Structures are given as structure tokens and as C-alpha cells.
């Protein structure tokens, strides 16, 4: 399934200026800047063999920025102390580049990165505003008209600044005389052109990586095509009318879940400004004073809302939040989870969810052929069956030794099969990234939180809820929200003693 469905088609942007190949780039200050920094230690050891490709790609990106953007970045660099950490310098660059800013937010909770770098990246999850309120008021009124006539009073100062927008609080007296607390999300001036230029550069870098796979020792995974899919997704960041539709849809999806809040969109929104309900609270990772039990409940709530719900949903297709970094997840004073910023969403079709279920059934029952068939279907028919079978057999080794398959196991299998040529759709690529982001967020919420245990609990809850319908379901139908037929469920029950004995043996093994 494509990340852009027919209902979300937007007018194509104006063609960007042609980007010269990397070989033709004029040398500038970035070469000297890169030589002065020791970026290598910031790249996890697991990716050490890709350091040259990562660093070359970053420098190529910076080489192609417009002159005014480069000047602003270099001015910020000059303002930093001479002994500023490398991580601080990288964050200062990301503040000026919405594409890098978004990447930094995704990586901010990735525990494979050094702790110091993660701490710096986390400052980009919610930044203090850099714009004056008077200027913002004029911009808002240019969008919706005089605020006084609408019964709107702005707060004393902006709340925060994101990669493409600024958030301003307000109080609105509605037609019934009620005071409603809200926020304006206003696009930064000229951000559309800045983001489009950066996304074009990323696509160009993807093409260069495709051409230099052998030189860099990279796996052949169609980088330009992947970057193109990501580009189409990130373009939505600056189409706030799409976010407003996503917010309305998400409110319906979570309407029956009292533990989740999605902001209401107000009628005086425009394509460049979203007016919505304000949700009070702090980031889910702001945990001062919370005991262990409360942290575990919060972590389980995140798993249920953002992972279990899209996987085991009866909706066709299911909606998922595609940008769940900690700055977009609020913990309210009464313990609920507020889901903010719905610019980026994805959708999982029935096929993808059935295939993921089949992979887990195959893992629990040590059925390599079932897993290979599901991986081929999940990868849209791409991939070498024999190569995939070798990857699957290797992945089953810890399961045979008593480990239980969980999210880490599933995502590692997807990564390994992608290296063997399996091609996954854009939604699935993004959902894989969502899982990686959430694993880091959940670990920061509660070190003892078991993502897999929370998912298992959510699955059992849905299985019990659908039991009456299951009694009337045909034996091979996968029409229920758990995407598992009665025949498959019976097969799992029959295999339960063997699954349990393997798990017990694994626990007993030193």
C-alpha cells in the first residue's frame, strides 16, 4: 500500500533547482568543518563499517544547502564555545534543517547511540520558541482574520517550536460563551521551500548510494527508492490540512479508549495553520515523582495505543501515528496519554497484519516454511526464497533454544530479510521505524517495562473480546481483528506444551 492514498493527494511542488552530482559539488567550508570534528565515535559500533558512507552523505547534504541557510548554520557554529561537544554542534545544525531535525527526533531515544548524543538530540523533541509573539500574531491574523472578532486571546508567549511549525497558546470564547483552551500550530515562513529542497537533496544522495554500494560496502536495498518514499511522507509535514483530517480520523479511532486523548480540531483552521484543543501535561518521559507501578502502566498504555491498536484493529486499513517521538506523546495530570502532531500517519492493510501474525505463529511453532511464505508476501513478492529461508533458519535458532519471539525478534528478521532483497512497502518501512522509536521511548519510561509482555496482554484482551464472534466464524477465516483463524488458533493451542517446554528449558539453561 502506498503512503499516499487518493484522498490525500496534494498538488506537486514547484520543480526544485537541479542538484549537481556529488562529484561536481564545489568544495566549501563544510570540508574543513568536517575535518575539525571527530564524528566517528557518535556512530554506533554496529554501524562502524558504514561510517564513511554516513559521513560522506552528511557532508554532501550540507554542501547543497542554499547560501542563506548555510550562513545561518555557520553563524550558530561560530556562536558556540570553542570547546563545544560534537553532539552539540550537530544539534545546532539540525535546528536549521527540518529534514535533519526530524531524523534527530527519530534517533533521540535509540539506545544504540551514546547517552550524551541522545541527551543532545532529545532537546530537539520540544524546543523553546525563537519567534516573537507580536510577529506571530500578525501571521495568525493573516490566516484567519482579526482575533478579537473571533473571541480569541493569545497567550503571553509561544509554547514551543517544532521542525516546521511554531505552537502558540490561546483562549477562545465560543458561540455558547464557553472558554476553550487551545493552541495554534503555525507553519514557519518559507518552510515549504526549505523542506522541499532538503528532500530533493536526500533523493539525490540515495541515488549516489545506489551507485556506490560496492565502494561503501553497503547492502543493495534501493536507497533512492526508499528515500523517495520517505520524501513523499515528509512532504505532508507542511500540509496542515492533511493533519487536520488525520486528527479527526484519529479521534474516531480512539474514541472508545478512555486512556487516550487526541486533540479536537477547531473550525477556524487553514492549510497553513491548525487550531486545536490544548492538552495539558508533560512529555511521557518526564517522570519525576512517579513510582514504578505507574511507570509500568504508562509504558503499557503506550504499547497498547501505538503498537497493539494498529496491528489488532478491525479497521480496514488501520491508522497508525508515524511520528511518535517523546515530544509528541503527552502524559496528562490524570494519567492519560495525549497523542499530538498527526502530520505523519501510515496505514497497515489486512495483508500486512495477517503476514505479521503468520510470522509469529511460525516462530512459536518453529515452522520456517510458514515464515518464509509470510515474508515473501509481506515483501510484495520480492526476494530470493532460498536466501530468505537461510535468514529465517538463523533467526529461529534462539527460538529453538527457548527464547520467545517478540517485537525485537520480528524487527530484526525484517531488517535481515531486507538485506536479502525483500522489498517492503512505504507504510511497512515507516511502521518499522515507529517500532524502533517507541522501543527507545518505552525503555526511557520504564526500564522494567516489557514491550512483549504488554503486547501479549493486549492480544489476549482482543482475543477474549472477539470470542463470541469467533464461535460463529468459519474455521479458516481471518476476518477478526486478531487476524488469526480458528484453525490456526487450534494449532497454537495444540503446540502450547512444546512452546512451554522450550521456554522452561531456556530459563533453566545457564
Amino acid at each position: 500500500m502506498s503512503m499516499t492514498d487518493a484522498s490525500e493527494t496534494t498538488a506537486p511542488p514547484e520543480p526544485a533547482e537541479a542538484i549537481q552530482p556529488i562529484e561536481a559539488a564545489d568544495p566549501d567550508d563544510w570540508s574543513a568543518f568536517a575535518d575539525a570534528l571527530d564524528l566517528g565515535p557518535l556512530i554506533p559500533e554496529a554501524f562502524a563499517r558504514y561510517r564513511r558512507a554516513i559521513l560522506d552523505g552528511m557532508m554532501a547534504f550540507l554542501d547543497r544547502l542554499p547560501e542563506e541557510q548555510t550562513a545561518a548554520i555557520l553563524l550558530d557554529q561560530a556562536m558556540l564555545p570553542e570547546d563545544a561537544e560534537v553532539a552539540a554542534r550537530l544539534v545546532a545544525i539540525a535546528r536549521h534543517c527540518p529534514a535533519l531535525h526530524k531524523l534527530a527526533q527519530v534517533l533521540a531515544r535509540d539506545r544504540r547511540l551514546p547517552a550524551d548524543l541522545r541527551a543532545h538530540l532529545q532537546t530537539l523533541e520540544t524546543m523553546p520558541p525563537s519567534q516573537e509573539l507580536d510577529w506571530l500574531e500578525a501571521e495568525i491574523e493573516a490566516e484567519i482574520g482579526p482575533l478579537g472578532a473571533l473571541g480569541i486571546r493569545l497567550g503571553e508567549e509561544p509554547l514551543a517550536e517544532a521542525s516546521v511549525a511554531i505552537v502558540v497558546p490561546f483562549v477562545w470564547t465560543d458561540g455558547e460563551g464557553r472558554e476553550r483552551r487551545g493552541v495554534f500550530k503555525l507553519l514557519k515562513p518559507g518552510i515549504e521551500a526549505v523542506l522541499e529542497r532538503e528532500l530533493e537533496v536526500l533523493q539525490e544522495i540515495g541515488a549516489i548510494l545506489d551507485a556506490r554500494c560496492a565502494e561503501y560496502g553497503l547492502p543493495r536495498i534501493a536507497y533512492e527508492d526508499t528515500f523517495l518514499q520517505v520524501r513523499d511522507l515528509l512532504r505532508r509535514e507542511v500540509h496542515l490540512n492533511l493533519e487536520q483530517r488525520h486528527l479527526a480520523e484519529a479521534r474516531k479511532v480512539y474514541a472508545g479508549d478512555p486512556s487516550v486523548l487526541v486533540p479536537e480540531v477547531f473550525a477556524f483552521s487553514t492549510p497553513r495553520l491548525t487550531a486545536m484543543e490544548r492538552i495539558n501535561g508533560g512529555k511521557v518521559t518526564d517522570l519525576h515523582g512517579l513510582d514504578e507501578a505507574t511507570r509500568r502502566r504508562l509504558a503499557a498504555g503506550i504499547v497498547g495505543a501505538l503498537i497493539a491498536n494498529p496491528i489488532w484493529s478491525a479497521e480496514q486499513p488501520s491508522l497508525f501515528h508515524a511520528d511518535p517521538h517523546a515530544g509528541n506523546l503527552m502524559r496528562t495530570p490524570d494519567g492519560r496519554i495525549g497523542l499530538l502532531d498527526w502530520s505523519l500517519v501510515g496505514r497497515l492493510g489486512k495483508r500486512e497484519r495477517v503476514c505479521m501474525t503468520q510470522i509469529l505463529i511460525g516462530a512459536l511453532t518453529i515452522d520456517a516454511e510458514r515464515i518464509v511464505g509470510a515474508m515473501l508476501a509481506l515483501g510484495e513478492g520480492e526476494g530470493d526464497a532460498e536466501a530468505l529461508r537461510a535468514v529465517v533458519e538463523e533467526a529461529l535458532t534462539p527460538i529453538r533454544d527457548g527464547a520467545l519471539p517478540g517485537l525485537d525478534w520480528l524487527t530484526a528478521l525484517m531488517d535481515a530479510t531486507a538485506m536479502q532483497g525483500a522489498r517492503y512497502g512505504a507504510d511497512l518501512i515507516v511502521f518499522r521505524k515507529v517500532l524502533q522509536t517507541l522501543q527507545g521511548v518505552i525503555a526511557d519510561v520504564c526500564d522494567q517495562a516489557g514491550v512483549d509482555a504488554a503486547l501479549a496482554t493486549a492480544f489476549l484482551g482482543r482475543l477474549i473480546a472477539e470470542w463470541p464472534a469467533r464461535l460463529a466464524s468459519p474455521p479458516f477465516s481471518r476476518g477478526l481483528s486478531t487476524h488469526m483463524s480458528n484453525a490456526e488458533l487450534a494449532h497454537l493451542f495444540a503446540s502450547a506444551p512444546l512452546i512451554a517446554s522450550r521456554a522452561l528449558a531456556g530459563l533453566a539453561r545457564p
Side-chain angles (χ1 to χ4, degrees):
M1 168 181 288
S2 169
M3 284 299 300
T4 306
D5 58 34
S7 65
E8 297 186 350
T9 301
T10 57
E14 292 298 319
E17 179 184 351
I19 301 170
Q20 296 300 313
I22 287 178
E23 290 83 349
D26 293 328
D28 58 22
D29 293 337
W30 292 119
S31 298
F33 176 77
D35 290 342
L37 297 178
D38 185 12
L39 297 173
L42 298 182
I43 298 173
E45 192 59 36
F47 303 108
R49 59 181 173 152
Y50 305 135
R51 277 178 179 150
R52 182 186 164 204
I54 293 170
L55 297 179
D56 284 358
M58 181 177 175
M59 291 306 107
F61 178 89
L62 295 173
D63 277 343
R64 277 154 183 76
L65 295 180
E67 184 177 342
E68 63 273 16
Q69 200 172 355
T70 298
I73 291 172
L74 292 176
L75 177 61
D76 265 10
Q77 294 293 317
M79 299 291 288
L80 290 172
E82 286 188 11
D83 60 350
E85 298 178 38
V86 176
R89 293 193 177 278
L90 291 178
V91 166
I93 293 172
R95 286 185 66 112
H96 292 276
C97 305
L100 295 184
H101 191 150
K102 185 58 60 183
L103 175 62
Q105 290 172 333
V106 169
L107 297 175
R109 304 282 167 174
D110 190 332
R111 293 203 165 192
R112 294 172 298 182
L113 297 177
D116 181 63
L117 175 59
R118 295 202 311 270
H120 280 287
L121 296 179
Q122 286 163 20
T123 64
L124 294 170
E125 291 175 339
T126 307
M127 297 191 307
S130 61
Q131 305 289 345
E132 297 295 329
L133 186 63
D134 289 346
W135 175 86
L136 291 170
E137 183 172 358
E139 288 290 309
I140 293 168
E141 289 194 327
E143 288 291 319
I144 63 174
L147 298 181
L150 293 169
I152 295 172
R153 184 176 71 256
L154 293 184
E156 293 183 358
E157 58 184 18
L159 284 177
E161 185 171 335
S163 56
V164 301
I166 301 163
V167 180
V168 182
F170 68 86
V171 176
W172 168 45
T173 303
D174 67 17
E176 299 177 5
R178 297 174 301 173
E179 282 199 345
R180 309 281 303 275
R181 300 176 77 247
V183 293
F184 287 118
K185 178 179 176 180
L186 176 68
L187 290 180
K188 298 176 183 178
I191 196 66
E192 295 95 332
V194 172
L195 180 61
E196 183 61 30
R197 171 67 181 181
E198 292 184 10
L199 295 180
E200 294 289 346
V201 171
L202 286 177
Q203 185 182 353
E204 168 74 7
I205 292 172
I208 297 299
L209 293 179
D210 281 334
R212 295 183 177 178
C213 279
E215 179 183 343
Y216 285 132
L218 296 172
R220 295 188 176 277
I221 55 174
Y223 295 95
E224 183 179 13
D225 185 54
T226 301
F227 283 16
L228 179 61
Q229 292 175 333
V230 173
R231 184 192 72 177
D232 291 341
L233 171 66
L234 290 179
R235 275 177 173 163
R236 298 183 187 183
E237 280 271 307
V238 293
H239 294 286
L240 297 189
N241 54 325
L242 293 182
E243 181 188 24
Q244 293 150 24
R245 298 209 315 248
H246 298 157
L247 280 163
E249 184 178 355
R251 279 178 62 82
K252 292 179 181 177
V253 168
Y254 291 100
D257 188 342
S259 68
V260 174
L261 281 176
V262 177
E264 176 188 356
V265 177
F266 297 146
F268 41 91
S269 297
T270 75
R272 297 196 82 255
L273 179 143
T274 297
M276 66 186 123
E277 172 188 8
R278 180 176 180 180
I279 294 180
N280 289 326
K283 292 196 298 187
V284 293
T285 50
D286 295 340
L287 302 164
H288 306 295
L290 293 187
D291 59 31
E292 190 65 29
T294 303
R295 291 186 180 206
R296 282 198 299 271
R297 285 195 298 272
L298 179 60
I302 295 169
V303 171
L306 294 168
I307 302 177
N309 191 74
I311 294 177
W312 296 310
S313 167
E315 298 293 326
Q316 302 296 350
S318 65
L319 179 80
F320 67 86
H321 194 303
D323 191 20
H325 65 77
N328 288 338
L329 309 180
M330 302 282 287
R331 180 178 63 85
T332 67
D334 59 1
R336 291 183 288 177
I337 300 170
L339 304 181
L340 310 181
D341 193 347
W342 285 83
S343 298
L344 307 181
V345 302
R347 302 178 194 278
L348 292 177
K350 183 72 172 181
R351 179 179 63 84
E352 290 92 344
R353 291 175 285 165
V354 166
C355 287
M356 285 191 281
T357 303
Q358 291 299 302
I359 291 168
L360 292 177
I361 292 174
L364 287 169
T365 59
I366 315 294
D367 186 345
E369 290 306 313
R370 183 189 293 264
I371 298 174
V372 170
M375 294 302 302
L376 286 170
L378 198 61
E380 300 182 348
E382 298 283 344
D384 183 322
E386 287 305 314
L388 291 179
R389 187 170 290 104
V391 170
V392 168
E393 288 292 347
E394 183 177 351
L396 284 174
T397 299
I399 309 300
R400 290 190 175 97
D401 290 340
L404 290 174
L407 268 186
D408 281 342
W409 181 87
L410 177 61
T411 53
L413 178 63
M414 290 176 63
D415 291 346
T417 53
M419 298 295 184
Q420 297 298 325
R423 295 282 299 276
Y424 299 117
D427 289 86
L428 208 55
I429 292 172
V430 173
F431 192 64
R432 165 66 184 90
K433 183 57 66 179
V434 164
L435 296 179
Q436 179 181 324
T437 301
L438 286 174
Q439 283 170 318
V441 171
I442 292 163
D444 285 346
V445 169
C446 180
D447 282 333
Q448 303 303 314
V451 175
D452 295 334
L455 271 178
T457 300
F459 173 79
L460 289 175
R462 282 163 172 77
L463 188 63
I464 292 169
E466 70 184 17
W467 200 257
R470 185 170 287 281
L471 294 176
S473 177
F476 299 103
S477 170
R478 296 169 178 160
L480 299 174
S481 66
T482 54
H483 319 300
M484 186 184 302
S485 72
N486 283 333
E488 289 160 345
L489 187 60
H491 179 48
L492 271 184
F493 283 154
S495 304
L498 289 175
I499 296 170
S501 66
R502 284 199 308 269
L504 289 172
L507 289 174
R509 193 174 291 112

